[in-house]
Amino acid sequence: MAKSASKWIHEPFARFFEEPTRETLRRLLAESGGEFKQFDFKETWPDKASLARHILAMANSGGGCLIAGVRENDDGSLEPVGLSTLPDKAKVIGGVKKYLPEALPSFCHFVDFSYADSENAKLAGKKFQVGFIEAPPELLPFVAAAQGEGIRINAIYVRKGASSDEASHDELQRLFEKKIEATSGTQRARDLKEHLA
């Protein structure tokens, strides 16, 4: 794929992640071509263990968004079906906490989006919920804290394309390299601050 084509495909995702508004979500749903490493679409929220696996994988892969209320069709196109009701955000994150390391839930934020009316008829009257996962690399890796259906205790999950799977040896090495790079930069900044003081 040409670099310019790749940039065009990822542009709606970048806009939405930087500025999560009803308008940028509308544009994302209209312009995107399916799931990517940083974005996962769900028709409804999966069971708690599966949702936790996706959150862990996103956190270990540089962050991203989980968007509920969108069906991905077999051809990769997205269909905004909406959620019948918006679940309580505190209950959504509370339901997955037992599977996550203690620090991770504070880096997970859920936001509701409702379209009472819309210039896009497919969105009119529909509701969506988005989970934003933004975890600092110095806390890597995030390890599953409990066992469940589709999640293994002490496993490390990463995004592989559009799926959330256990990390391979090479992927673990990259996670540790990110952590070392992030913590050494932080240590250098502390050393400089102490030196200047």
Side-chain angles (χ1 to χ4, degrees):
M1 179 180 301
K3 190 172 187 175
S4 60
S6 177
K7 183 178 180 188
W8 178 84
I9 288 170
H10 288 87
E11 188 62 30
F13 294 100
R15 278 195 308 264
F16 179 65
F17 200 79
E18 291 168 9
E19 187 183 348
T21 65
R22 291 173 70 247
E23 174 58 21
T24 55
L25 178 59
R26 183 191 66 75
R27 290 173 69 187
L28 169 69
L29 295 174
E31 297 174 19
S32 72
E35 293 183 342
F36 286 93
K37 182 177 177 180
Q38 291 82 18
F39 282 81
D40 199 342
F41 297 96
K42 302 293 180 196
E43 192 166 344
T44 61
W45 286 128
D47 64 81
K48 294 170 186 169
S50 293
L51 180 55
R53 186 182 74 242
H54 292 304
I55 290 171
L56 286 161
M58 291 271 181
N60 284 325
S61 301
C65 292
L66 299 160
I67 302 175
V70 180
R71 177 188 309 131
E72 184 176 24
N73 297 316
D74 292 339
D75 64 359
S77 65
L78 301 176
E79 187 176 342
V81 295
L83 296 169
S84 56
T85 59
L86 289 169
D88 183 310
K89 294 176 286 218
K91 286 184 180 176
V92 173
I93 196 63
V96 298
K97 271 188 176 180
K98 79 173 194 174
Y99 300 102
L100 306 178
E102 190 176 322
L104 187 52
S106 64
F107 298 104
C108 302
H109 307 283
F110 287 78
V111 180
D112 297 334
F113 292 88
S114 296
Y115 295 86
D117 57 3
S118 176
E119 63 189 55
N120 181 337
K122 288 185 174 184
L123 295 180
K126 294 185 178 159
K127 303 170 187 170
F128 304 88
Q129 196 166 69
V130 180
F132 292 91
I133 296 91
E134 297 182 85
E138 59 268 16
L139 296 180
L140 292 173
F142 293 97
V143 180
Q147 186 83 17
E149 183 69 34
I151 191 169
R152 195 170 59 80
I153 192 169
N154 296 326
I156 298 172
Y157 294 91
V158 295
R159 293 288 288 172
K160 296 181 183 181
S163 65
S164 299
D165 299 314
E166 283 194 49
S168 68
H169 173 77
D170 290 341
E171 289 160 336
L172 286 174
Q173 294 306 308
R174 285 192 288 276
L175 281 175
F176 291 123
E177 287 169 6
K178 284 182 191 175
K179 180 183 182 84
I180 290 166
E181 184 179 301
T183 53
S184 66
T186 303
Q187 183 60 46
R188 282 194 296 269
R190 275 195 295 256
D191 292 345
L192 179 60
K193 186 176 178 182
E194 288 173 10
H195 177 73
L196 292 173

